[in-house]
Amino acid sequence: MKSYIKSYHKLSKFFVVLMDILLIHAGYILAYIIKFNFTFPERNFMPYYTLIPQITLFALVLLNIYGLYTITMKTISEIAFSLGLALMLLQFLTVVSTFFYRHFAFPRSIFIIAFFVQFLLLLGWRGLVLYVFKRVQGVKHVLVVGEMPKAQEFAQKLQNISKGWIDVKYVLEPTTIEELIPYIKVVDTIYLYSKMDENLKSEIVRKAIEFKKHIFIAPDFRDILVSRARVIQFDDVATLSIEQPELTSEQKLIKRVCDILLASLALVIAFPIMLIIAIAIKFDSEGPVIYRQKRVTEGEREFYVLKFRTMVKDAEKMTGPVLATENDPRITRVGRFLRATRLDELPQLINILKGEMSFIGPRPERPYFVEQFKKLYPEYSLRHNVKAGLTGLAQVYGKYATSPEDKLRLDLIYIKNYSVFLDIKILLLTLKTIFTKEAAEGVKTQKE
C-alpha cells in the first residue's frame, strides 16, 4: 500500500505540473477570447505565442518557489494567497519580457484579465488536488522524540500547523530503543527534536528504516556543518572534507554587484514612499525620523544600522537592551504600521550601498545580544562569516518570536547552501512574508 502511495505521489506531481502549464496558457487564451471575442488580431496574439517558453518557465519557477507543489500541511486559503502572489509576479515578468523582446503589441489589458482567469482556474484545480491528496494520504500519526520541554513545544507547533494532515500521538523523551520500538511501530512519521545520545539517534533511524517509517531530524549545528561535505578518498578509506562555512571570492563579488544594482534601483523607486514616511513620523511623535543602532556584521565588525524610528524617543533609556514584545507600548501608531509592512527597514538600502550589509544574509544583531548568544551557542560566530542581510532564510521561514537557536540553524543552512538562485528565492519569499502578520510580531510577553 505504501509503495502504491509513493508511486501515486510521483505520478500525481507530474500530472499537477502538466495541468498547471495547460491552465496558465488556457488563462491567456481565455483572456484573448474575452477581449477580442474569438476574432483577436494576429499582431496582438503573436507576442503571446512567441513568449510561451518564457511564460512556462516563469510560471513553473514561481509556483515552485511559493510552495505550490507541496500541498500537504496547507489550507485552501494559504494556497490562494501564494497563488495570487505567484500569478502577479508572472504577469509582471511577462510584461518585462514584452519590453525586452519589443513585443509592444501585446495588449496590457490581457495581463489583468489573464490574472483573474488563471487564479480561478488554478485555485479550483488546487482545491481538487488538495481534496484528493487528503483522501489518499489520510491523517498521519506522529511520534516526537526529544528532551522536554522543547519536544513538547515542537509537538504543539506541529499540531498547530497540521491543518488536519497529521495527529501527534506521542511525545516521548529519549530513553532506550527497546522502550521506543512499540511506539515506532504504530505511527507513520517520527520527528527527532533537540539533542540526544548519538547511538540512540542511530538506533531510532535504523528502526524507522526497518519498519518503513518516514523520519525527520532537526539537525544540530554539527549536522549542518557536515552537510554538503565532499567525499575524499585516501587509498581505500573514504573521508568527508568539511570546508569553512563561507562564500568564495567569486560568490562575494557577484553578490556585491547584485547588491549595488538592486539597492540603487530600490532607492530610486522607494524615495517618494520614504519621504511620506518621514513626514508621518514627524507628525506622529517627538524624536528623529531615522533611528541608528549599533549592530554586528561580517567579521564581527560593528556598524550603525539605519531604520525609520518606530518607537517613542529614548525607548530603552529605562529598560536597557530588550527585544520588542507583542503589543509593545513603546511602539508608536505609525511605527506599528511600519513594522507590520517592513517599511521601517527601507533606510537599510543605504547600509547595503555602503557595503555594511547585503540584501540577503543573517539579520544583524546588537553587540549585547551577540555576546549572550555566543555563550549559549559557540557556533553563533559562524553566522558572521557573511555580511548581515536585509532579509534572510530565518526571516522567510521563521517568525520574529522564533528562538535564537532555530534562527541560527536557518542562518547556517543558508551559508552552507548559498547560491544566487537561493538569494532570488529568499527575495521572492520576502514579498510573501511582508503580508504575514506573525512574522512581524514581537516575542510573546510570557516568554521574556
Side-chain angles (χ1 to χ4, degrees), residues 236-252:
D236 60 348
V237 179
T239 64
L240 295 177
S241 173
I242 303 171
E243 298 178 354
Q244 182 76 4
E246 60 184 8
L247 274 58
T248 64
S249 300
E250 293 81 6
Q251 288 172 331
K252 287 181 179 180

Side-chain angles (χ1 to χ4, degrees), residues 213-224:
K213 307 296 182 180
H214 198 175
I215 186 164
F216 293 89
I217 300 174
D220 58 28
F221 299 127
R222 189 204 65 180
D223 294 333
I224 296 169

Side-chain angles (χ1 to χ4, degrees), residues 293-298 301 303-307 345 348 351 356-359 361-367 369-370 373 380 383-384 386-392 395 411:
Q293 192 177 67
K294 192 175 286 187
R295 298 287 178 105
V296 179
T297 188
E298 185 181 21
R301 289 183 290 106
F303 74 105
Y304 283 97
V305 72
L306 304 177
K307 300 178 75 172
E345 313 284 0
Q348 287 166 44
N351 290 120
E356 297 165 334
M357 291 176 62
S358 175
F359 255 100
R363 284 295 290 156
E365 195 48 86
R366 299 162 71 173
F369 292 119
V370 168
F373 294 145
Y380 194 83
R383 75 194 295 274
H384 297 125
V386 297
K387 281 182 185 176
L390 183 62
T391 184
Q395 281 61 55
D411 288 336

Side-chain angles (χ1 to χ4, degrees), residues 109-128:
S109 58
I110 291 293
F111 298 111
I112 299 171
I113 300 169
F115 169 80
F116 289 105
V117 175
Q118 290 166 346
F119 181 79
L120 292 174
L121 290 174
L122 285 168
L123 186 61
W125 166 235
R126 275 298 188 284
L128 177 62

Side-chain angles (χ1 to χ4, degrees), residues 173-189:
E173 287 197 284
T175 51
T176 63
I177 191 63
E178 288 77 18
E179 291 181 18
L180 293 172
I181 284 176
Y183 298 97
I184 293 173
K185 285 181 176 179
V186 297
V187 297
D188 302 297
T189 308

Side-chain angles (χ1 to χ4, degrees), residues 46 58 120 133 275 299 339 370 376:
M46 285 308 294
F58 292 151
L120 292 174
F133 265 52
L275 191 61
R339 282 173 172 252
V370 168
L376 291 171

Side-chain angles (χ1 to χ4, degrees), residues 119-158:
F119 181 79
L120 292 174
L121 290 174
L122 285 168
L123 186 61
W125 166 235
R126 275 298 188 284
L128 177 62
V129 171
L130 189 68
Y131 174 77
V132 172
F133 265 52
K134 218 164 191 179
R135 289 295 296 269
V136 171
Q137 180 172 295
V139 178
K140 295 290 186 182
H141 298 302
V142 169
L143 162 66
V144 176
V145 182
E147 292 179 346
M148 303 298 175
K150 287 185 176 180
Q152 193 68 54
E153 291 170 0
F154 176 69
Q156 188 61 53
K157 284 183 181 180
L158 279 178

